[in-house]
Amino acid sequence: EPEVTQTPSHQVTQMGQEVILRCVPISNHLYFYWYRQILGQKVEFLVSFYNNEISEKSEIFDDQFSVERPDGSNFTLKIRSTKLEDSAMYFCASSAARVMLPQHFGDGTRLSIL
Amino acid sequence: DQQVKQNSPSLSVQEGRISILNCDYTNSMFDYFLWYKKYPAEGPTFLISISSIKDKNEDGRFTVFLNKSAKHLSLHIVPSQPGDSAVYFCAASAAGTNAGKSTFGDGTTLTVKP
């Protein structure tokens, strides 16, 4: 069964540095998402991406964050000037349709900001 | 504003018995609801969904019930198995949005005892 893959599984970065989290969505999916889960908290929506542009973003997704689909397969989340509170699990998801079909999640990247 | 709530952080049941996980929502715009299961160090995995035009959806041992007037849904697992032990997230989305983002509850940790 096709799956969403995320790399790296764990990223440790110094505060203030930039990080890029990578995702390879399922190949025939059209909608892409980033979510995050701070330890002990709920899964929170960050951003959705369709047709090479952001469809919706949450208030968490400020100017520090950006997303890109640089080629036909990868979907990246860039966090500039990381802060301690950015430490979380970041999940990428994709779906074949906007609604009425589930989102398929990757196993996440654990981001630790020191 | 917590739009999706799972008021029970944990639930413990005996193998073979029924597990009932509950979820409440406040946003009347939500019209599609999903349950995800999550094991440690993995991403959420889709379990079952229901559209607001239905009040019940069944898939094997899993049944989701939706009470729109009460803004309440529940997931029934019968019979429960030890392998069902995981964190269960309720999620909701609104077809009217452009993004199809899912809003998650806090999760309920289910433990099925052999």
Side-chain angles (χ1 to χ4, degrees), chain B residues 17-54:
Chain B
R17 306 295 289 268
I18 184 171
S19 296
I20 301 176
L21 297 98
N22 294 301
C23 178
D24 298 291
Y25 62 96
T26 57
N27 189 340
S28 301
M29 299 300 291
F30 289 146
D31 52 10
Y32 186 57
F33 305 91
L34 311 95
W35 285 94
Y36 288 88
K37 181 168 73 172
K38 186 181 180 302
Y39 294 117
E42 294 184 11
T45 301
F46 169 73
L47 200 56
I48 193 169
S49 63
I50 188 166
S51 163
S52 60
I53 62 173
K54 293 186 173 183

PDB file of all heavy atoms in Angstrom, chain B residues 17-54:
ATOM      1  N   ARG B  17     -14.702  -7.191  25.077  1.00  0.00           N
ATOM      2  CA  ARG B  17     -15.818  -6.317  25.416  1.00  0.00           C
ATOM      3  C   ARG B  17     -15.890  -5.159  24.432  1.00  0.00           C
ATOM      4  O   ARG B  17     -15.046  -5.011  23.546  1.00  0.00           O
ATOM      5  CB  ARG B  17     -15.644  -5.779  26.841  1.00  0.00           C
ATOM      6  CG  ARG B  17     -15.454  -6.857  27.895  1.00  0.00           C
ATOM      7  CD  ARG B  17     -16.667  -7.740  28.045  1.00  0.00           C
ATOM      8  NE  ARG B  17     -17.777  -7.054  28.674  1.00  0.00           N
ATOM      9  CZ  ARG B  17     -18.021  -7.044  29.982  1.00  0.00           C
ATOM     10  NH1 ARG B  17     -17.209  -7.669  30.804  1.00  0.00           N
ATOM     11  NH2 ARG B  17     -19.067  -6.412  30.464  1.00  0.00           N
ATOM     12  N   ILE B  18     -16.904  -4.317  24.596  1.00  0.00           N
ATOM     13  CA  ILE B  18     -17.066  -3.173  23.712  1.00  0.00           C
ATOM     14  C   ILE B  18     -16.272  -1.975  24.227  1.00  0.00           C
ATOM     15  O   ILE B  18     -16.216  -1.719  25.428  1.00  0.00           O
ATOM     16  CB  ILE B  18     -18.562  -2.793  23.558  1.00  0.00           C
ATOM     17  CG1 ILE B  18     -18.744  -1.663  22.546  1.00  0.00           C
ATOM     18  CG2 ILE B  18     -19.150  -2.408  24.910  1.00  0.00           C
ATOM     19  CD1 ILE B  18     -20.204  -1.393  22.197  1.00  0.00           C
ATOM     20  N   SER B  19     -15.632  -1.266  23.299  1.00  0.00           N
ATOM     21  CA  SER B  19     -14.996   0.014  23.611  1.00  0.00           C
ATOM     22  C   SER B  19     -15.845   1.108  22.970  1.00  0.00           C
ATOM     23  O   SER B  19     -16.211   1.006  21.798  1.00  0.00           O
ATOM     24  CB  SER B  19     -13.575   0.090  23.034  1.00  0.00           C
ATOM     25  OG  SER B  19     -12.730  -0.871  23.609  1.00  0.00           O
ATOM     26  N   ILE B  20     -16.147   2.125  23.753  1.00  0.00           N
ATOM     27  CA  ILE B  20     -16.909   3.266  23.238  1.00  0.00           C
ATOM     28  C   ILE B  20     -16.108   4.532  23.488  1.00  0.00           C
ATOM     29  O   ILE B  20     -15.834   4.892  24.636  1.00  0.00           O
ATOM     30  CB  ILE B  20     -18.297   3.371  23.895  1.00  0.00           C
ATOM     31  CG1 ILE B  20     -19.105   2.097  23.646  1.00  0.00           C
ATOM     32  CG2 ILE B  20     -19.034   4.601  23.364  1.00  0.00           C
ATOM     33  CD1 ILE B  20     -20.465   2.076  24.337  1.00  0.00           C
ATOM     34  N   LEU B  21     -15.724   5.172  22.397  1.00  0.00           N
ATOM     35  CA  LEU B  21     -14.973   6.425  22.494  1.00  0.00           C
ATOM     36  C   LEU B  21     -15.866   7.559  22.016  1.00  0.00           C
ATOM     37  O   LEU B  21     -16.538   7.443  20.999  1.00  0.00           O
ATOM     38  CB  LEU B  21     -13.695   6.361  21.659  1.00  0.00           C
ATOM     39  CG  LEU B  21     -12.684   5.294  22.098  1.00  0.00           C
ATOM     40  CD1 LEU B  21     -12.809   4.044  21.255  1.00  0.00           C
ATOM     41  CD2 LEU B  21     -11.274   5.834  22.016  1.00  0.00           C
ATOM     42  N   ASN B  22     -15.859   8.642  22.756  1.00  0.00           N
ATOM     43  CA  ASN B  22     -16.773   9.740  22.494  1.00  0.00           C
ATOM     44  C   ASN B  22     -16.075  11.010  22.029  1.00  0.00           C
ATOM     45  O   ASN B  22     -14.906  11.247  22.358  1.00  0.00           O
ATOM     46  CB  ASN B  22     -17.586  10.048  23.755  1.00  0.00           C
ATOM     47  CG  ASN B  22     -18.504   8.916  24.125  1.00  0.00           C
ATOM     48  OD1 ASN B  22     -19.362   8.525  23.343  1.00  0.00           O
ATOM     49  ND2 ASN B  22     -18.325   8.373  25.327  1.00  0.00           N
ATOM     50  N   CYS B  23     -16.835  11.793  21.291  1.00  0.00           N
ATOM     51  CA  CYS B  23     -16.295  13.034  20.727  1.00  0.00           C
ATOM     52  C   CYS B  23     -17.432  14.034  20.593  1.00  0.00           C
ATOM     53  O   CYS B  23     -18.536  13.671  20.165  1.00  0.00           O
ATOM     54  CB  CYS B  23     -15.678  12.720  19.364  1.00  0.00           C
ATOM     55  SG  CYS B  23     -14.998  14.131  18.477  1.00  0.00           S
ATOM     56  N   ASP B  24     -17.196  15.265  20.979  1.00  0.00           N
ATOM     57  CA  ASP B  24     -18.162  16.337  20.824  1.00  0.00           C
ATOM     58  C   ASP B  24     -17.559  17.454  19.990  1.00  0.00           C
ATOM     59  O   ASP B  24     -16.355  17.696  20.042  1.00  0.00           O
ATOM     60  CB  ASP B  24     -18.570  16.894  22.192  1.00  0.00           C
ATOM     61  CG  ASP B  24     -19.248  15.854  23.055  1.00  0.00           C
ATOM     62  OD1 ASP B  24     -20.374  15.463  22.703  1.00  0.00           O
ATOM     63  OD2 ASP B  24     -18.645  15.423  24.057  1.00  0.00           O
ATOM     64  N   TYR B  25     -18.409  18.138  19.236  1.00  0.00           N
ATOM     65  CA  TYR B  25     -17.913  19.253  18.444  1.00  0.00           C
ATOM     66  C   TYR B  25     -18.845  20.438  18.596  1.00  0.00           C
ATOM     67  O   TYR B  25     -20.010  20.292  18.978  1.00  0.00           O
ATOM     68  CB  TYR B  25     -17.750  18.852  16.965  1.00  0.00           C
ATOM     69  CG  TYR B  25     -19.036  18.445  16.268  1.00  0.00           C
ATOM     70  CD1 TYR B  25     -19.756  19.365  15.499  1.00  0.00           C
ATOM     71  CD2 TYR B  25     -19.508  17.149  16.367  1.00  0.00           C
ATOM     72  CE1 TYR B  25     -20.913  19.001  14.850  1.00  0.00           C
ATOM     73  CE2 TYR B  25     -20.673  16.768  15.728  1.00  0.00           C
ATOM     74  CZ  TYR B  25     -21.372  17.685  14.971  1.00  0.00           C
ATOM     75  OH  TYR B  25     -22.528  17.312  14.338  1.00  0.00           O
ATOM     76  N   THR B  26     -18.327  21.600  18.311  1.00  0.00           N
ATOM     77  CA  THR B  26     -19.112  22.818  18.500  1.00  0.00           C
ATOM     78  C   THR B  26     -19.406  23.539  17.184  1.00  0.00           C
ATOM     79  O   THR B  26     -20.364  24.299  17.113  1.00  0.00           O
ATOM     80  CB  THR B  26     -18.377  23.787  19.443  1.00  0.00           C
ATOM     81  OG1 THR B  26     -17.075  24.075  18.896  1.00  0.00           O
ATOM     82  CG2 THR B  26     -18.208  23.183  20.831  1.00  0.00           C
ATOM     83  N   ASN B  27     -18.607  23.293  16.164  1.00  0.00           N
ATOM     84  CA  ASN B  27     -18.752  24.031  14.914  1.00  0.00           C
ATOM     85  C   ASN B  27     -19.824  23.392  14.046  1.00  0.00           C
ATOM     86  O   ASN B  27     -19.668  22.272  13.560  1.00  0.00           O
ATOM     87  CB  ASN B  27     -17.400  24.047  14.184  1.00  0.00           C
ATOM     88  CG  ASN B  27     -17.386  24.972  12.976  1.00  0.00           C
ATOM     89  OD1 ASN B  27     -18.432  25.328  12.446  1.00  0.00           O
ATOM     90  ND2 ASN B  27     -16.206  25.360  12.554  1.00  0.00           N
ATOM     91  N   SER B  28     -20.905  24.106  13.804  1.00  0.00           N
ATOM     92  CA  SER B  28     -22.011  23.570  13.001  1.00  0.00           C
ATOM     93  C   SER B  28     -21.646  23.371  11.536  1.00  0.00           C
ATOM     94  O   SER B  28     -22.363  22.706  10.794  1.00  0.00           O
ATOM     95  CB  SER B  28     -23.209  24.516  13.084  1.00  0.00           C
ATOM     96  OG  SER B  28     -23.637  24.672  14.397  1.00  0.00           O
ATOM     97  N   MET B  29     -20.533  23.964  11.121  1.00  0.00           N
ATOM     98  CA  MET B  29     -20.109  23.839   9.721  1.00  0.00           C
ATOM     99  C   MET B  29     -19.461  22.475   9.444  1.00  0.00           C
ATOM    100  O   MET B  29     -19.323  22.075   8.298  1.00  0.00           O
ATOM    101  CB  MET B  29     -19.117  24.950   9.371  1.00  0.00           C
ATOM    102  CG  MET B  29     -19.689  26.341   9.505  1.00  0.00           C
ATOM    103  SD  MET B  29     -21.111  26.603   8.429  1.00  0.00           S
ATOM    104  CE  MET B  29     -20.305  26.568   6.831  1.00  0.00           C
ATOM    105  N   PHE B  30     -19.054  21.773  10.484  1.00  0.00           N
ATOM    106  CA  PHE B  30     -18.443  20.464  10.271  1.00  0.00           C
ATOM    107  C   PHE B  30     -19.470  19.509   9.684  1.00  0.00           C
ATOM    108  O   PHE B  30     -20.588  19.392  10.195  1.00  0.00           O
ATOM    109  CB  PHE B  30     -17.922  19.882  11.579  1.00  0.00           C
ATOM    110  CG  PHE B  30     -16.701  20.575  12.127  1.00  0.00           C
ATOM    111  CD1 PHE B  30     -16.522  20.691  13.497  1.00  0.00           C
ATOM    112  CD2 PHE B  30     -15.723  21.089  11.298  1.00  0.00           C
ATOM    113  CE1 PHE B  30     -15.398  21.320  14.024  1.00  0.00           C
ATOM    114  CE2 PHE B  30     -14.591  21.717  11.816  1.00  0.00           C
ATOM    115  CZ  PHE B  30     -14.442  21.828  13.181  1.00  0.00           C
ATOM    116  N   ASP B  31     -19.094  18.838   8.626  1.00  0.00           N
ATOM    117  CA  ASP B  31     -20.033  17.891   8.017  1.00  0.00           C
ATOM    118  C   ASP B  31     -19.353  16.581   7.617  1.00  0.00           C
ATOM    119  O   ASP B  31     -19.952  15.752   6.929  1.00  0.00           O
ATOM    120  CB  ASP B  31     -20.748  18.519   6.830  1.00  0.00           C
ATOM    121  CG  ASP B  31     -19.779  19.126   5.822  1.00  0.00           C
ATOM    122  OD1 ASP B  31     -18.564  18.890   5.952  1.00  0.00           O
ATOM    123  OD2 ASP B  31     -20.244  19.848   4.921  1.00  0.00           O
ATOM    124  N   TYR B  32     -18.139  16.403   8.049  1.00  0.00           N
ATOM    125  CA  TYR B  32     -17.447  15.153   7.742  1.00  0.00           C
ATOM    126  C   TYR B  32     -16.550  14.849   8.920  1.00  0.00           C
ATOM    127  O   TYR B  32     -15.783  15.711   9.361  1.00  0.00           O
ATOM    128  CB  TYR B  32     -16.628  15.312   6.463  1.00  0.00           C
ATOM    129  CG  TYR B  32     -15.965  14.050   5.962  1.00  0.00           C
ATOM    130  CD1 TYR B  32     -16.716  12.912   5.676  1.00  0.00           C
ATOM    131  CD2 TYR B  32     -14.588  13.988   5.778  1.00  0.00           C
ATOM    132  CE1 TYR B  32     -16.108  11.760   5.211  1.00  0.00           C
ATOM    133  CE2 TYR B  32     -13.975  12.845   5.316  1.00  0.00           C
ATOM    134  CZ  TYR B  32     -14.741  11.732   5.033  1.00  0.00           C
ATOM    135  OH  TYR B  32     -14.134  10.588   4.577  1.00  0.00           O
ATOM    136  N   PHE B  33     -16.672  13.630   9.430  1.00  0.00           N
ATOM    137  CA  PHE B  33     -15.994  13.274  10.671  1.00  0.00           C
ATOM    138  C   PHE B  33     -15.191  11.992  10.478  1.00  0.00           C
ATOM    139  O   PHE B  33     -15.621  11.067   9.786  1.00  0.00           O
ATOM    140  CB  PHE B  33     -17.021  13.088  11.791  1.00  0.00           C
ATOM    141  CG  PHE B  33     -17.908  14.283  11.969  1.00  0.00           C
ATOM    142  CD1 PHE B  33     -19.109  14.374  11.274  1.00  0.00           C
ATOM    143  CD2 PHE B  33     -17.543  15.327  12.804  1.00  0.00           C
ATOM    144  CE1 PHE B  33     -19.920  15.484  11.405  1.00  0.00           C
ATOM    145  CE2 PHE B  33     -18.347  16.445  12.947  1.00  0.00           C
ATOM    146  CZ  PHE B  33     -19.541  16.524  12.244  1.00  0.00           C
ATOM    147  N   LEU B  34     -14.040  11.969  11.095  1.00  0.00           N
ATOM    148  CA  LEU B  34     -13.143  10.837  10.919  1.00  0.00           C
ATOM    149  C   LEU B  34     -12.601  10.394  12.272  1.00  0.00           C
ATOM    150  O   LEU B  34     -12.491  11.186  13.203  1.00  0.00           O
ATOM    151  CB  LEU B  34     -11.948  11.206  10.026  1.00  0.00           C
ATOM    152  CG  LEU B  34     -12.227  11.910   8.700  1.00  0.00           C
ATOM    153  CD1 LEU B  34     -12.114  13.413   8.855  1.00  0.00           C
ATOM    154  CD2 LEU B  34     -11.263  11.434   7.630  1.00  0.00           C
ATOM    155  N   TRP B  35     -12.272   9.135  12.347  1.00  0.00           N
ATOM    156  CA  TRP B  35     -11.522   8.616  13.480  1.00  0.00           C
ATOM    157  C   TRP B  35     -10.182   8.100  12.977  1.00  0.00           C
ATOM    158  O   TRP B  35     -10.111   7.387  11.965  1.00  0.00           O
ATOM    159  CB  TRP B  35     -12.276   7.484  14.170  1.00  0.00           C
ATOM    160  CG  TRP B  35     -13.425   7.952  15.010  1.00  0.00           C
ATOM    161  CD1 TRP B  35     -14.734   8.051  14.641  1.00  0.00           C
ATOM    162  CD2 TRP B  35     -13.366   8.371  16.382  1.00  0.00           C
ATOM    163  NE1 TRP B  35     -15.487   8.517  15.686  1.00  0.00           N
ATOM    164  CE2 TRP B  35     -14.678   8.720  16.765  1.00  0.00           C
ATOM    165  CE3 TRP B  35     -12.331   8.484  17.321  1.00  0.00           C
ATOM    166  CZ2 TRP B  35     -14.983   9.172  18.053  1.00  0.00           C
ATOM    167  CZ3 TRP B  35     -12.638   8.935  18.596  1.00  0.00           C
ATOM    168  CH2 TRP B  35     -13.949   9.274  18.951  1.00  0.00           C
ATOM    169  N   TYR B  36      -9.137   8.491  13.692  1.00  0.00           N
ATOM    170  CA  TYR B  36      -7.799   8.022  13.392  1.00  0.00           C
ATOM    171  C   TYR B  36      -7.271   7.271  14.609  1.00  0.00           C
ATOM    172  O   TYR B  36      -7.582   7.605  15.754  1.00  0.00           O
ATOM    173  CB  TYR B  36      -6.855   9.190  13.087  1.00  0.00           C
ATOM    174  CG  TYR B  36      -7.081   9.879  11.764  1.00  0.00           C
ATOM    175  CD1 TYR B  36      -7.973  10.928  11.645  1.00  0.00           C
ATOM    176  CD2 TYR B  36      -6.372   9.489  10.633  1.00  0.00           C
ATOM    177  CE1 TYR B  36      -8.169  11.578  10.436  1.00  0.00           C
ATOM    178  CE2 TYR B  36      -6.558  10.136   9.408  1.00  0.00           C
ATOM    179  CZ  TYR B  36      -7.451  11.175   9.332  1.00  0.00           C
ATOM    180  OH  TYR B  36      -7.631  11.813   8.121  1.00  0.00           O
ATOM    181  N   LYS B  37      -6.428   6.317  14.334  1.00  0.00           N
ATOM    182  CA  LYS B  37      -5.751   5.576  15.382  1.00  0.00           C
ATOM    183  C   LYS B  37      -4.266   5.904  15.290  1.00  0.00           C
ATOM    184  O   LYS B  37      -3.712   6.020  14.189  1.00  0.00           O
ATOM    185  CB  LYS B  37      -5.977   4.072  15.183  1.00  0.00           C
ATOM    186  CG  LYS B  37      -5.329   3.200  16.220  1.00  0.00           C
ATOM    187  CD  LYS B  37      -5.834   1.762  16.116  1.00  0.00           C
ATOM    188  CE  LYS B  37      -5.289   1.024  14.935  1.00  0.00           C
ATOM    189  NZ  LYS B  37      -5.656  -0.422  14.995  1.00  0.00           N
ATOM    190  N   LYS B  38      -3.625   6.045  16.439  1.00  0.00           N
ATOM    191  CA  LYS B  38      -2.209   6.396  16.410  1.00  0.00           C
ATOM    192  C   LYS B  38      -1.436   5.546  17.411  1.00  0.00           C
ATOM    193  O   LYS B  38      -1.749   5.539  18.604  1.00  0.00           O
ATOM    194  CB  LYS B  38      -2.012   7.885  16.726  1.00  0.00           C
ATOM    195  CG  LYS B  38      -0.566   8.339  16.566  1.00  0.00           C
ATOM    196  CD  LYS B  38      -0.409   9.808  16.914  1.00  0.00           C
ATOM    197  CE  LYS B  38       1.049  10.251  16.742  1.00  0.00           C
ATOM    198  NZ  LYS B  38       1.991   9.484  17.539  1.00  0.00           N
ATOM    199  N   TYR B  39      -0.426   4.865  16.891  1.00  0.00           N
ATOM    200  CA  TYR B  39       0.517   4.152  17.738  1.00  0.00           C
ATOM    201  C   TYR B  39       1.717   5.048  18.004  1.00  0.00           C
ATOM    202  O   TYR B  39       1.998   5.969  17.219  1.00  0.00           O
ATOM    203  CB  TYR B  39       0.998   2.870  17.054  1.00  0.00           C
ATOM    204  CG  TYR B  39      -0.070   1.825  16.857  1.00  0.00           C
ATOM    205  CD1 TYR B  39      -0.450   1.425  15.576  1.00  0.00           C
ATOM    206  CD2 TYR B  39      -0.693   1.211  17.942  1.00  0.00           C
ATOM    207  CE1 TYR B  39      -1.415   0.452  15.380  1.00  0.00           C
ATOM    208  CE2 TYR B  39      -1.662   0.243  17.755  1.00  0.00           C
ATOM    209  CZ  TYR B  39      -2.022  -0.136  16.469  1.00  0.00           C
ATOM    210  OH  TYR B  39      -2.977  -1.094  16.272  1.00  0.00           O
ATOM    211  N   PRO B  40       2.438   4.812  19.090  1.00  0.00           N
ATOM    212  CA  PRO B  40       3.644   5.601  19.370  1.00  0.00           C
ATOM    213  C   PRO B  40       4.623   5.562  18.207  1.00  0.00           C
ATOM    214  O   PRO B  40       4.774   4.536  17.552  1.00  0.00           O
ATOM    215  CB  PRO B  40       4.227   4.909  20.611  1.00  0.00           C
ATOM    216  CG  PRO B  40       3.072   4.236  21.258  1.00  0.00           C
ATOM    217  CD  PRO B  40       2.167   3.820  20.158  1.00  0.00           C
ATOM    218  N   ALA B  41       5.250   6.671  17.928  1.00  0.00           N
ATOM    219  CA  ALA B  41       6.276   6.804  16.883  1.00  0.00           C
ATOM    220  C   ALA B  41       5.721   6.575  15.473  1.00  0.00           C
ATOM    221  O   ALA B  41       6.498   6.338  14.545  1.00  0.00           O
ATOM    222  CB  ALA B  41       7.448   5.859  17.149  1.00  0.00           C
ATOM    223  N   GLU B  42       4.410   6.645  15.328  1.00  0.00           N
ATOM    224  CA  GLU B  42       3.818   6.547  13.998  1.00  0.00           C
ATOM    225  C   GLU B  42       2.859   7.713  13.800  1.00  0.00           C
ATOM    226  O   GLU B  42       2.409   8.347  14.750  1.00  0.00           O
ATOM    227  CB  GLU B  42       3.066   5.225  13.822  1.00  0.00           C
ATOM    228  CG  GLU B  42       3.966   4.003  13.848  1.00  0.00           C
ATOM    229  CD  GLU B  42       3.181   2.726  13.570  1.00  0.00           C
ATOM    230  OE1 GLU B  42       2.013   2.814  13.161  1.00  0.00           O
ATOM    231  OE2 GLU B  42       3.757   1.650  13.778  1.00  0.00           O
ATOM    232  N   GLY B  43       2.511   7.958  12.522  1.00  0.00           N
ATOM    233  CA  GLY B  43       1.509   8.963  12.252  1.00  0.00           C
ATOM    234  C   GLY B  43       0.106   8.419  12.439  1.00  0.00           C
ATOM    235  O   GLY B  43      -0.090   7.205  12.534  1.00  0.00           O
ATOM    236  N   PRO B  44      -0.882   9.298  12.520  1.00  0.00           N
ATOM    237  CA  PRO B  44      -2.269   8.845  12.613  1.00  0.00           C
ATOM    238  C   PRO B  44      -2.644   7.993  11.395  1.00  0.00           C
ATOM    239  O   PRO B  44      -2.234   8.290  10.277  1.00  0.00           O
ATOM    240  CB  PRO B  44      -3.068  10.150  12.641  1.00  0.00           C
ATOM    241  CG  PRO B  44      -2.103  11.196  13.102  1.00  0.00           C
ATOM    242  CD  PRO B  44      -0.777  10.776  12.553  1.00  0.00           C
ATOM    243  N   THR B  45      -3.417   6.958  11.651  1.00  0.00           N
ATOM    244  CA  THR B  45      -3.892   6.073  10.586  1.00  0.00           C
ATOM    245  C   THR B  45      -5.403   6.147  10.539  1.00  0.00           C
ATOM    246  O   THR B  45      -6.074   5.975  11.555  1.00  0.00           O
ATOM    247  CB  THR B  45      -3.464   4.617  10.849  1.00  0.00           C
ATOM    248  OG1 THR B  45      -2.036   4.559  10.925  1.00  0.00           O
ATOM    249  CG2 THR B  45      -3.944   3.706   9.731  1.00  0.00           C
ATOM    250  N   PHE B  46      -5.935   6.382   9.360  1.00  0.00           N
ATOM    251  CA  PHE B  46      -7.378   6.492   9.192  1.00  0.00           C
ATOM    252  C   PHE B  46      -8.062   5.184   9.577  1.00  0.00           C
ATOM    253  O   PHE B  46      -7.624   4.092   9.216  1.00  0.00           O
ATOM    254  CB  PHE B  46      -7.709   6.854   7.753  1.00  0.00           C
ATOM    255  CG  PHE B  46      -9.162   6.747   7.418  1.00  0.00           C
ATOM    256  CD1 PHE B  46     -10.059   7.675   7.901  1.00  0.00           C
ATOM    257  CD2 PHE B  46      -9.638   5.702   6.641  1.00  0.00           C
ATOM    258  CE1 PHE B  46     -11.403   7.581   7.612  1.00  0.00           C
ATOM    259  CE2 PHE B  46     -10.972   5.588   6.334  1.00  0.00           C
ATOM    260  CZ  PHE B  46     -11.859   6.533   6.815  1.00  0.00           C
ATOM    261  N   LEU B  47      -9.167   5.332  10.294  1.00  0.00           N
ATOM    262  CA  LEU B  47      -9.907   4.164  10.754  1.00  0.00           C
ATOM    263  C   LEU B  47     -11.277   4.088  10.080  1.00  0.00           C
ATOM    264  O   LEU B  47     -11.616   3.121   9.416  1.00  0.00           O
ATOM    265  CB  LEU B  47     -10.051   4.255  12.261  1.00  0.00           C
ATOM    266  CG  LEU B  47     -10.359   3.019  13.067  1.00  0.00           C
ATOM    267  CD1 LEU B  47      -9.327   1.940  12.819  1.00  0.00           C
ATOM    268  CD2 LEU B  47     -10.377   3.378  14.558  1.00  0.00           C
ATOM    269  N   ILE B  48     -12.074   5.102  10.269  1.00  0.00           N
ATOM    270  CA  ILE B  48     -13.432   5.105   9.754  1.00  0.00           C
ATOM    271  C   ILE B  48     -13.930   6.538   9.716  1.00  0.00           C
ATOM    272  O   ILE B  48     -13.440   7.391  10.460  1.00  0.00           O
ATOM    273  CB  ILE B  48     -14.354   4.225  10.626  1.00  0.00           C
ATOM    274  CG1 ILE B  48     -15.698   3.960   9.946  1.00  0.00           C
ATOM    275  CG2 ILE B  48     -14.537   4.823  12.026  1.00  0.00           C
ATOM    276  CD1 ILE B  48     -16.528   2.884  10.655  1.00  0.00           C
ATOM    277  N   SER B  49     -14.888   6.810   8.824  1.00  0.00           N
ATOM    278  CA  SER B  49     -15.407   8.167   8.711  1.00  0.00           C
ATOM    279  C   SER B  49     -16.922   8.135   8.571  1.00  0.00           C
ATOM    280  O   SER B  49     -17.521   7.072   8.338  1.00  0.00           O
ATOM    281  CB  SER B  49     -14.789   8.874   7.506  1.00  0.00           C
ATOM    282  OG  SER B  49     -15.149   8.207   6.299  1.00  0.00           O
ATOM    283  N   ILE B  50     -17.517   9.305   8.697  1.00  0.00           N
ATOM    284  CA  ILE B  50     -18.956   9.416   8.506  1.00  0.00           C
ATOM    285  C   ILE B  50     -19.274  10.813   7.994  1.00  0.00           C
ATOM    286  O   ILE B  50     -18.692  11.806   8.448  1.00  0.00           O
ATOM    287  CB  ILE B  50     -19.723   9.093   9.806  1.00  0.00           C
ATOM    288  CG1 ILE B  50     -21.223   9.022   9.538  1.00  0.00           C
ATOM    289  CG2 ILE B  50     -19.423  10.119  10.904  1.00  0.00           C
ATOM    290  CD1 ILE B  50     -22.011   8.388  10.681  1.00  0.00           C
ATOM    291  N   SER B  51     -20.174  10.853   7.051  1.00  0.00           N
ATOM    292  CA  SER B  51     -20.665  12.115   6.531  1.00  0.00           C
ATOM    293  C   SER B  51     -21.865  12.548   7.357  1.00  0.00           C
ATOM    294  O   SER B  51     -22.577  11.710   7.926  1.00  0.00           O
ATOM    295  CB  SER B  51     -21.070  11.941   5.073  1.00  0.00           C
ATOM    296  OG  SER B  51     -21.895  12.996   4.646  1.00  0.00           O
ATOM    297  N   SER B  52     -22.124  13.827   7.376  1.00  0.00           N
ATOM    298  CA  SER B  52     -23.234  14.331   8.190  1.00  0.00           C
ATOM    299  C   SER B  52     -24.603  13.928   7.667  1.00  0.00           C
ATOM    300  O   SER B  52     -25.611  14.115   8.341  1.00  0.00           O
ATOM    301  CB  SER B  52     -23.155  15.852   8.287  1.00  0.00           C
ATOM    302  OG  SER B  52     -23.240  16.429   7.001  1.00  0.00           O
ATOM    303  N   ILE B  53     -24.658  13.368   6.474  1.00  0.00           N
ATOM    304  CA  ILE B  53     -25.953  12.925   5.961  1.00  0.00           C
ATOM    305  C   ILE B  53     -26.332  11.545   6.500  1.00  0.00           C
ATOM    306  O   ILE B  53     -27.435  11.066   6.264  1.00  0.00           O
ATOM    307  CB  ILE B  53     -25.980  12.904   4.414  1.00  0.00           C
ATOM    308  CG1 ILE B  53     -24.948  11.909   3.862  1.00  0.00           C
ATOM    309  CG2 ILE B  53     -25.747  14.293   3.863  1.00  0.00           C
ATOM    310  CD1 ILE B  53     -25.039  11.732   2.358  1.00  0.00           C
ATOM    311  N   LYS B  54     -25.384  10.943   7.216  1.00  0.00           N
ATOM    312  CA  LYS B  54     -25.646   9.631   7.806  1.00  0.00           C
ATOM    313  C   LYS B  54     -25.631   9.734   9.317  1.00  0.00           C
ATOM    314  O   LYS B  54     -25.112  10.698   9.888  1.00  0.00           O
ATOM    315  CB  LYS B  54     -24.578   8.632   7.364  1.00  0.00           C
ATOM    316  CG  LYS B  54     -24.588   8.289   5.891  1.00  0.00           C
ATOM    317  CD  LYS B  54     -23.583   7.180   5.623  1.00  0.00           C
ATOM    318  CE  LYS B  54     -23.690   6.686   4.197  1.00  0.00           C
ATOM    319  NZ  LYS B  54     -22.753   5.557   3.944  1.00  0.00           N
TER     320      LYS B  54
END
